[in-house]
Amino acid sequence: MRWEKVQRQVGLGDSSSGPGKRWGHTCNAIKGGRFVYVFGGFGRDDCLTNQVHVFDAGRQIWTEPMIRGVPPSPRDSHSCTTVGDNLFVFGGTDGKHHLNDLHVLDTSTHTWKGLEVRGQRPEAREGHSATLVGKHIFVFGGCVKTSGSDDEVFYNDLYILNTETITWQRAVTTGKPPSARDGHTCSTWNNKIIVIGGEDLDDDYLSDVHILDTDTFAWKQLKTSGQPLTPRAGHVTVAIESNLFVFGGFTDFQKLYNDLYVLDVETCVWSKIDMEERPSARFSATAVCLGPYKAGSFFFVGGCNKNLEPLDDIYYLHTDGVYEARFAQTPGRLSLKKQMKLKCQEKKLAMDQGKPFFQARVTENSPYGYTIETIIDGKVLRGVLLSNRHHSSVQTADPSSSNRKRPAIPDADADCDHREKTQRILSKDSAGSSQQADPIHPSDGANKKVDTSDANINIARPLEAETVAVTSDDKDQNPSQLDMDTVNAEPSPPVTLDQVNVEPLRNEMSTDVGEDAKADPGGDSSPQEQDEERIAAEDANAEQ
């Protein structure tokens, strides 16, 4: 994971150098993250603005398009929510009054829309949060100054805007809601909204995490572990699936942050990500995820420093490797159950990236590694995992299939079934044979999950001789993670449903396997021939 500072470039035609120095603004992505719209805020010429600037993440340029219609008044500390090609702007402050008006920018025509709003709209406020679940915008919290005094009123109410009927409704919830606050963040995950941090009426800064199930409208506070978030307000939170990235913010005594935390909502574990190069400390910045256009990348713009000076710098945060960083820092402090959950998430991520997994049974241990057996597509496959602490050499029928690592062979047919994401080398043994083992059963306690993401593995399939390959990076030298060199296995007799319960095991398989290879016409060898060949191979190894 790394930060990258964006070098501003000016577009052609309706050109712009970008929003310039800005804080209290909003930024939203449309078109799958290709374009980022920055609206409002305070900074340029030391005044509020209602200008709209657009960043093209593909060409890395800013433009300031001509906007039709009646725009919102200049403001800051408002919310802006993306709904398709529309941006819904609500509330904020114009410097004199707090606002509760609603405006919609149609980005396909660059037109501000005037809408007839119905229902019970929220009171005027700033510093609130808003997030989208389905077609509904959820607005939580915020604060307002009472008329005629400097006293502030903080909210912990929840309002819902139906974006199809443009109707407001105050939500009735159960459970204990978050305390009244502003300067917090609100994010969406699996039809749930998650509130993090903020500042309350007593000027206390918060780091608590609350979650609302929008199906049941029940609040609950999450009990988190790991490396806890420092209390703060004015931070930004960006979500990628169940991972919430929190950056920056402030507490009292002008204490500002430029640290980065990640909360895994599924495991309730906080992790602090340490990086040498990062943006300066700030609050009231904005950020947005650029996925799927730039999958795993965030766009950060502006903010305010401890001298209350607005900032104009822009950064990408590329989250590649964040999972490895989190796993490296937190497992030792977690229970075995939570460690297993983290491992399953790591496995799911690798599968999403096309790395294959399968479940196998260890049938024999040796100083050089393990003999394993598995079933894929109803057929028994056997192989050997060789430890990277030893340098074993195994002869194969294909002289090019040596111990040298091979890159993965991409699927030649781009329009083939999506299950054929990974190919394997299937080779018939011409010199040795693996030891015959009992059929594997899904309930067998000796079954172990084998992760091929850190190794190369070639497994012989019964009665098959075609060759394809599977590889991935071998980064970890942990003895528990073994290199998988080329393995040759003698074809085994066909396995019937009476011999092994195949279907339940196939349901546990987490690897996608391509079409069956063509049958080898000279496939079967008798158990006696297998024993003779195994003894001959062991004698040959002993002589070496």
Side-chain angles (χ1 to χ4, degrees), residues 14-138:
D14 296 332
S15 63
S16 169
S17 59
K21 296 181 178 180
R22 193 69 59 91
W23 67 272
H25 52 293
T26 53
C27 72
N28 298 76
I30 65 163
K31 302 297 184 185
R34 170 66 188 268
F35 299 100
V36 176
Y37 281 68
V38 174
F39 168 75
F42 182 93
R44 177 171 285 184
D45 301 324
D46 293 328
C47 63
L48 294 170
T49 182
N50 61 356
Q51 292 176 316
V52 176
H53 294 82
V54 182
F55 182 75
D56 185 333
R59 296 188 295 163
Q60 299 271 97
I61 61 173
W62 284 100
T63 58
E64 186 177 355
M66 296 294 295
I67 307 293
R68 295 187 291 269
V70 179
S73 59
R75 65 191 63 204
D76 72 272
S77 303
H78 54 281
S79 64
C80 186
T81 310
T82 303
V83 184
D85 289 337
N86 295 314
L87 303 181
F88 284 70
V89 175
F90 169 74
T93 176
D94 62 7
K96 295 180 179 179
H97 306 95
H98 288 85
L99 309 168
N100 68 342
D101 51 351
L102 180 69
H103 301 264
V104 176
L105 175 63
D106 184 343
T107 63
S108 63
T109 62
H110 284 156
T111 303
W112 286 107
K113 294 180 179 179
L115 300 176
E116 181 182 350
V117 180
R118 295 183 293 234
Q120 182 184 6
R121 70 174 64 192
E123 290 83 358
R125 64 191 66 200
E126 66 169 315
H128 55 282
S129 61
T131 190
L132 182 70
V133 179
K135 295 294 185 179
H136 295 82
I137 296 175
F138 288 72

Side-chain angles (χ1 to χ4, degrees), residues 458-513:
N458 304 322
I459 301 179
R461 184 190 290 264
L463 305 179
E464 295 169 349
E466 290 188 356
T467 61
V468 283
V470 118
T471 67
S472 47
D473 298 334
D474 187 358
K475 299 177 181 178
D476 196 345
Q477 296 301 316
N478 190 322
S480 65
Q481 296 178 345
L482 305 175
D483 272 343
M484 298 183 184
D485 292 335
T486 302
V487 175
N488 301 301
E490 197 69 13
S492 61
V495 178
T496 68
L497 292 176
D498 292 334
Q499 293 174 295
V500 60
N501 188 1
V502 175
E503 192 61 28
L505 181 63
R506 289 182 60 194
N507 292 337
E508 294 180 9
M509 295 296 172
S510 53
T511 199
D512 292 330
V513 182

Side-chain angles (χ1 to χ4, degrees), residues 19 65 153 268 300 319 354 442 484 510 535:
V153 176
C268 302
F300 287 79
T319 62
M484 298 183 184
S510 53
I535 294 172

